[in-house]
Amino acid sequence: MDLTAKATALRSLHTDPELLVMVNVWDAVSASVVAAEPATRALATAGHSIASTFGYADGEQVPLDLALSLVERIVVAAGDLPVSADLDGGFGDAGETVRRAIGVGVVGANVEDQLRPLAESVAVVEAVVAAGEAEGVPFVLNARTDAFVRGGDRPRDVVVADALERGRAYLQAGATTVFVPGPLDDETVQELVAGLGRQKLSVIGLPGVPDQARLAELGVARITYGPLTQRVALTALQDAARAIYAGGGIPGGTRPLN
């Protein structure tokens, strides 16, 4: 499947009324394992997890060349499944970063605003959209606002209003969806959907966020899990190591997935 077909398929998964559930991956083997699941329709990378894989902190500390080299391996492992990459804040030049990501087979991305001034953030969205158009790919931008995760002690209504103002501006500039990470409760999700429109909101599956059935009912487009999936894997590894050091062995039922 070529990039245009993959991008078109990924866009449809965001606009269809069914909630798009994406299990985040961070390397080739995690991508292979998730891609093999029949329910998987697309893959999303987790930038935090990729940085951790190479021993870097989150937040554009990992060199872009290194991160994209791993993303390319994920794309290969994904086969015909479309891949959306977490590109943090764009690594200083969001348009060029997206152009390079498309070059390794990516057809969608998260790019975060880091609560930069709104005009600057809109310019980033416009640069991403323009890069996709220049490459002939209907690129799927899941434009992230950090209104909640960087909201500090601002009142809730101020944070919601900020998220909506930013989200609407990003959609107007060509973003496919607006990603609002944070521990969003049912009421907040309702407010965000009402302000952005159905099939326009993307969330992360943190504790307290409504379950998938409720998110679909409310009109949310997409749910991902960020670095939480890698934490699940690392928790299992640490538990296994402790059991081994205590005189035990590998847990029964372990599958040969590598």
Side-chain angles (χ1 to χ4, degrees):
M1 187 183 297
D2 65 22
L3 291 187
T4 298
K6 284 185 177 181
T8 300
L10 183 60
R11 185 175 294 272
S12 294
L13 290 172
H14 286 74
T15 57
D16 289 347
E18 184 179 355
L19 177 69
L20 174 59
V21 180
M22 301 178 80
V23 176
N24 294 81
V25 299
W26 59 90
D27 60 13
V29 69
S30 62
S32 296
V33 168
V34 175
E37 286 298 305
T40 301
R41 296 178 289 167
L43 293 182
T45 74
H48 187 154
S49 299
I50 287 176
S52 294
T53 296
F54 288 117
Y56 290 91
D58 190 26
E60 299 185 18
Q61 300 302 303
V62 62
L64 179 59
D65 288 348
L66 192 59
L68 287 180
S69 70
L70 188 46
V71 170
E72 184 172 19
R73 291 176 180 273
I74 289 169
V75 169
V76 171
D80 284 338
L81 293 172
V83 174
S84 178
D86 179 357
L87 299 178
D88 293 310
F91 287 83
D93 186 341
E96 175 62 12
T97 297
V98 165
R99 185 193 69 78
R100 292 183 60 188
I102 293 172
V104 301
V106 167
V107 293
N110 292 357
V111 178
E112 60 200 45
D113 64 12
Q114 301 171 347
L115 283 194
R116 290 181 293 255
L118 182 56
E120 292 181 20
S121 299
V122 169
V124 168
V125 171
E126 291 172 342
V128 170
V129 173
E133 292 174 349
E135 296 299 314
V137 175
F139 199 75
V140 179
L141 175 59
N142 189 39
R144 168 174 159 167
T145 176
D146 290 327
F148 279 85
V149 297
R150 295 186 182 220
D153 58 0
R154 294 190 300 171
R156 177 187 171 280
D157 61 334
V158 173
V159 173
V160 171
D162 190 17
L164 288 175
E165 180 184 18
R166 288 170 174 274
R168 291 181 188 124
Y170 302 160
L171 292 171
Q172 182 66 32
T176 307
T177 47
V178 177
F179 180 29
V180 186
L184 310 179
D185 59 19
D186 193 286
E187 180 183 358
T188 303
V189 173
Q190 290 188 57
E191 289 182 63
L192 292 172
V193 172
L196 298 173
R198 295 181 67 85
Q199 308 310 126
K200 296 299 182 183
L201 176 64
S202 173
V203 302
I204 186 170
L206 296 172
V209 172
D211 63 26
Q212 292 178 17
R214 178 60 175 160
L215 292 175
E217 179 184 352
L218 292 174
V220 172
R222 161 176 165 174
I223 183 170
T224 49
Y225 295 86
L228 302 176
T229 50
Q230 188 183 54
R231 290 174 189 173
V232 170
L234 293 175
T235 297
L237 174 61
Q238 187 177 67
D239 288 349
R242 287 176 177 172
I244 290 168
Y245 291 140
I250 297 298
T254 298
R255 297 182 293 280
L257 297 174
N258 57 350

